[in-house]
Amino acid sequence: EKTGKVGFRSDREYAADGQCGTVLKALREHQMSADEGFLKSLWPRIRKSLEFLLGHDGNDDGLIEDAQPNTYDIDFYGPNTFVGALYLAALRAGATMAGEMGEADFAARCLKVAESGSKLAVEKLFNGEYFIQDVDLKAHPRFQYGQGCLADQVFGQGWAHQVNLGYLYPADKVKSALKSIWRYNWAPSVAAQMKAHPD
């Protein structure tokens, strides 16, 4: 779209995780290309996609706080590192591509927002073991994970490593989160959890 939105199952909404993933896939394909032809042909639309994401950030602090429709077919609200890590990875990917396209100002903006988001996520979302979601559960009582240990909380970090963008959060925090995911999410059967938490 002209707005930069990447459609998700309909043109009426977007998927925050998929929007970020589209930017990351563009970098991946560029990295595997023989020359800059692929990137040059798509860069204006890639930039628009990033601008769309930045519009959902609102204050360029690196945390998306509004509704985040995603491929769980629900919306997350408030800062979290499921969408957040993907957003930071997309920003770093955008900075890399913008630099190659000679757009130093846009590259600098993307990096500045990404650095802010990395810092704030650790300050506001890391509970000593893993990353939580900062959400008003009175306003959004369903489908949020709040203080829970989401298995996909550092999914964007995996993407960042795949396309050589480094750590989005301090390595020790990422490793702690991964250990926590194993500790709190592995179960031989999820039946008891499904019964206790039907949403």
Side-chain angles (χ1 to χ4, degrees):
E1 282 193 15
K2 291 180 181 178
T3 63
K5 178 181 76 175
V6 176
F8 171 59
R9 298 190 185 154
S10 79
D11 288 333
R12 291 174 292 154
E13 60 181 294
Y14 86 115
D17 53 343
Q19 184 90 17
C20 298
T22 298
V23 173
L24 289 160
K25 287 184 279 187
L27 176 60
R28 180 192 64 198
E29 297 308 306
H30 167 57
Q31 289 174 338
M32 294 191 303
S33 297
D35 56 38
E36 291 186 342
F38 173 82
L39 180 57
K40 282 181 178 177
S41 69
L42 290 180
W43 173 246
R45 287 179 280 176
I46 297 166
R47 178 178 169 140
K48 272 288 193 192
S49 295
L50 280 161
E51 289 170 344
F52 183 89
L53 285 165
L54 285 160
H56 281 275
D57 186 341
N59 58 4
D60 274 12
D61 70 351
L63 300 176
I64 296 179
E65 298 165 344
D66 66 0
Q68 298 151 61
N70 59 71
T71 48
Y72 286 134
D73 290 332
I74 57 174
D75 293 359
F76 284 144
Y77 292 87
N80 65 82
T81 60
F82 168 54
V83 171
L86 287 162
Y87 177 48
L88 298 181
L91 288 168
R92 287 193 186 188
T96 298
M97 292 183 280
E100 290 189 37
M101 292 292 99
E103 296 189 18
D105 289 348
F106 189 67
R109 180 186 178 197
C110 289
L111 279 178
K112 183 178 179 184
V113 174
E115 287 168 5
S116 173
S118 294
K119 182 175 181 273
L120 290 175
V122 170
E123 288 175 10
K124 295 182 175 189
L125 304 177
F126 191 74
N127 72 359
E129 286 186 280
Y130 56 86
F131 294 95
I132 62 165
Q133 175 193 21
D134 182 8
V135 59
D136 179 352
L137 291 172
K138 289 182 181 174
H140 309 287
R142 296 188 70 205
F143 306 126
Q144 309 305 302
Y145 63 95
Q147 300 296 309
C149 183
L150 185 73
D152 283 333
Q153 66 186 269
V154 287
F155 179 55
Q157 183 62 70
W159 257 112
H161 285 322
Q162 286 180 50
V163 291
N164 200 31
L165 297 172
Y167 275 96
L168 303 172
Y169 311 112
D172 63 320
K173 305 290 190 289
V174 172
K175 290 173 184 176
S176 177
L178 290 169
K179 287 178 184 176
S180 296
I181 290 166
W182 180 257
R183 181 180 304 122
Y184 298 121
N185 289 284
W186 168 251
S189 170
V190 297
Q193 291 298 319
M194 295 295 288
K195 186 175 180 182
H197 306 285
D199 282 343

